[in-house]
Amino acid sequence: MTNFRVCTEGDVRRIIMASSSKTCALDPVPMFLLKEMIDPLLPSLTAMVNASLREGYLSASQKCAVITPVLKKVSLNKLDLKNYRPISNLTFVSKVVEKVACEQLMEYLNDNNLLPVHQSAYRRYHSTETALLQVMSDVYKTADCQKVTLMGLLDLSVAFDCVNHLILLQRLSLIFGVRGAVLDWVRSFLTGRTRRVCYGGRMSSIIVLLCGVP
């Protein structure tokens, strides 16, 4: 896959209308107002999305996130940072471009059978339930053959926060055949990202992300 398809106004409308109406602090207008004024804004938004995909570039303004720490449970200690879940909010334009790119990438991976057969995460019609059904099916099949089943489970703590960008880009290129403007866009999407933490109505200074995936 070397180039993205041209995105239509219908695609952009579908994604925006299906998105949450929550507004990021970085958005110039509230999300509900954008949805109400979608018709006159649609040509410009579609042009912005296609320009990003065509040039393989995501502007820095679309790569800044506002993170709000939310306590996982009310009963937890508020002074322990591990008890908070970071909720990351991006501008609506960034989310629209990301969803368009994601849909086309997933279509490419599915059409070319590049995803692992038993992968249940981040796939339509797959979930923890399908993963459990596969495991139970294997266990029952083994039991029918009067054999013993041994299971090894591995949980990588904050795995997504530790992803090395260079390794990820190399795997996309060498193993999955993602090249050209598509690979350039993914590289731009991953690198140069910044974030600010919002807590108690106050904003932190800007922090540059060196690894991990959004």
Side-chain angles (χ1 to χ4, degrees), residues 7-195:
C7 180
T8 67
E9 291 185 4
D11 293 330
V12 175
R13 174 192 287 275
R14 170 177 54 81
I15 290 174
I16 291 178
M17 298 310 291
S19 300
S20 169
S21 295
K22 293 182 179 179
T23 301
C24 175
L26 301 174
D27 285 332
V29 296
M31 193 62 182
F32 77 88
L33 184 59
L34 172 69
K35 291 184 176 181
E36 290 182 3
M37 302 296 295
I38 186 63
D39 289 332
L41 296 175
L42 200 54
S44 298
L45 291 173
T46 305
M48 292 173 63
V49 171
N50 282 321
S52 175
L53 299 179
R54 181 178 62 254
E55 298 172 10
Y57 176 77
L58 188 64
S59 64
S61 62
Q62 308 305 324
K63 294 190 285 187
C64 182
V66 175
I67 297 179
T68 304
V70 177
L71 201 62
K72 296 178 181 179
K73 293 182 180 179
V74 180
S75 59
L76 296 177
N77 183 6
K78 295 182 179 180
L79 299 180
D80 190 347
L81 297 181
K82 294 182 179 180
N83 294 333
Y84 287 87
R85 179 179 292 105
I87 306 300
S88 179
N89 290 312
L90 296 161
T91 63
F92 68 82
V93 173
S94 172
K95 289 184 283 189
V96 171
V97 177
E98 177 183 341
K99 289 181 179 179
V100 171
C102 181
E103 286 183 357
Q104 294 195 27
L105 279 169
M106 289 301 297
E107 181 180 338
Y108 164 77
L109 294 174
N110 287 320
D111 289 346
N112 292 276
N113 297 317
L114 293 173
L115 292 176
V117 177
H118 299 304
Q119 176 179 324
S120 288
Y122 311 107
R123 297 178 71 182
R124 182 176 295 181
Y125 309 124
H126 291 72
S127 64
T128 52
E129 183 178 0
T130 57
L132 180 59
L133 288 173
Q134 178 63 46
V135 171
M136 294 304 299
S137 176
D138 291 342
V139 171
Y140 291 144
K141 184 177 180 180
T142 303
D144 289 340
C145 297
Q146 297 183 344
K147 295 181 180 180
V148 176
T149 296
L150 299 177
M151 179 183 295
L153 301 176
L154 176 64
D155 181 14
L156 300 177
S157 179
V158 294
F160 286 103
D161 295 337
C162 302
V163 173
N164 181 285
H165 295 158
L166 180 59
I167 294 175
L168 176 58
L169 292 169
Q170 288 178 339
R171 288 180 63 85
L172 285 174
S173 176
L174 299 177
I175 299 177
F176 296 97
V178 176
R179 300 184 178 88
V182 179
L183 188 64
D184 290 340
W185 188 90
V186 176
R187 180 182 293 108
S188 178
F189 176 79
L190 290 172
T191 56
R193 301 195 74 92
T194 57
R195 62 182 176 181

